[in-house]
Amino acid sequence: MRAVVVTSFGGPEAVRVVETEVPEPGAGQVRIKVAAAALNPVDAAVRAGVFGGAGGRIGLGWDVAGTVDAVGPGAAWSVGDEVVALAPGVAESLGSHAEHVVVGADTVAEAPATSDAVSGATLPLNGLTAVQALDLLELTPGQSLLVTGAAGAVGGYAVQLAARSGVSVTALARAEDEELVRSLGAAHFTAGEAGPAGFDAVLDAAVLGEAALAWVRDGGAYAGVIPGAAPAAVRGVRTGTVEVRADGERLAELVRLVDEGALTLRVAGTYALDDAVKAHARLAEGGVRGRLVLLP
């Protein structure tokens, strides 16, 4: 099969499409024939060597939508099931940017019934990151939340999920994205660098760090999306970062929200698997709204 990998670190030019053996599922695993796999900033970070792993082959890709085509012992799925899954790993030899991927059966959920595989592939990583970041903040209905980077993939899901739970959401994004983030459920909007202040919590999807922390009230909470990169706590503010965990049960809840129309899947563009270098180059240009998706 074909798979997208890096064997040395660098820019988009470091990405390679190689021929490799089709993986076989072990106990408690399933193999998915990949229909679509989203490209995320974490893939660019892996490509650039942020997570290490020099000297070997590193596979790219965390999100996957496709069809179960092999089942290991003890895996409660069937060949032919249409699914989505998260295949986390920053130094594995194969990722989801491939024609087949093996994942734990407990990372898998039924694919959304109301969308195609291309759209479904944009849900697992960013949806789980958003909901797990919100878990860290422990907000209750009526409290206030600022979401930075609210027009991005993680930020957009966070706006929708928080607003649905009764939290008053202010979206921080570019001025041209105001209509978008309000359509996702933001009650308030700001594009100013000086920014608002006094929020019960900030979900910092834009990775602003200390600048975002300054907008949290004393005793509030801050959640970042880069593991281990939270700013130091001040003024009694709880600070933490989400390290996304594969969770098939939670992913199934997100799929249900998609099918109810409560979560919006956004595709910024599609690329053939063989054009992975071009997809990485487009991601590096910035300004992507939604996710780029690779199609084997």
Side-chain angles (χ1 to χ4, degrees):
M1 71 169 190
R2 293 169 300 147
V4 179
V5 304
V6 291
T7 55
S8 61
F9 299 133
E13 72 284 351
V15 173
R16 299 175 57 202
V17 181
V18 300
E19 292 286 337
T20 189
E21 293 184 359
V22 176
E24 295 295 333
Q29 295 181 321
V30 299
R31 187 176 69 208
I32 300 171
K33 181 176 175 58
V34 180
L39 173 65
N40 290 280
V42 68
D43 297 306
V46 172
R47 183 201 74 217
V50 171
F51 301 103
R57 185 184 77 178
I58 303 174
L60 299 178
W62 291 45
D63 287 312
V64 59
T67 306
V68 173
D69 73 344
V71 179
W77 293 92
S78 301
V79 171
D81 287 342
E82 300 291 330
V83 296
V84 291
L86 180 64
V90 295
E92 303 293 333
S93 61
L94 288 174
S96 67
H97 295 170
E99 293 182 294
H100 299 268
V101 63
V102 168
V103 299
D106 59 354
T107 73
V108 177
E110 289 186 11
T114 55
S115 68
D116 60 14
V118 173
S119 296
T122 67
L123 177 65
L125 177 60
N126 296 287
L128 286 171
T129 298
V131 75
Q132 290 171 14
L134 288 169
D135 288 346
L136 290 176
L137 295 175
E138 299 179 340
L139 291 167
T140 57
Q143 288 192 296
S144 60
L145 171 69
L146 175 70
V147 177
T148 74
V154 172
Y157 287 134
V159 169
Q160 289 189 298
L161 290 165
R164 178 181 173 83
S165 69
V167 170
S168 176
V169 179
T170 296
L172 176 64
R174 297 176 181 176
E176 57 266 33
D177 290 320
E178 179 175 2
E179 182 178 352
L180 167 63
V181 296
R182 286 190 181 277
S183 75
L184 297 175
H188 310 284
F189 174 83
T190 180
E193 289 187 9
F199 290 94
D200 292 312
V202 168
L203 196 162
D204 188 18
V207 197
L208 301 181
E210 291 182 0
L213 182 64
W215 299 327
V216 183
R217 65 165 174 81
D218 293 357
Y222 167 101
V225 296
I226 305 296
V234 294
R235 299 180 289 104
V237 176
R238 289 187 297 109
T239 63
T241 57
V242 62
E243 186 166 351
V244 66
R245 303 179 306 280
D247 185 336
E249 184 175 342
R250 204 69 182 279
L251 182 56
E253 294 175 5
L254 294 173
V255 167
R256 177 178 57 79
L257 293 177
V258 169
D259 285 340
E260 291 177 358
L263 278 184
T264 303
L265 305 176
R266 293 183 289 155
V267 176
T270 59
Y271 290 81
L273 191 71
D274 289 335
D275 290 330
V277 172
K278 294 179 180 178
H280 275 255
R282 173 64 189 93
L283 181 64
E285 292 174 3
V288 175
R289 292 294 174 259
R291 280 287 170 253
L292 304 173
V293 180
L294 297 178
L295 308 178

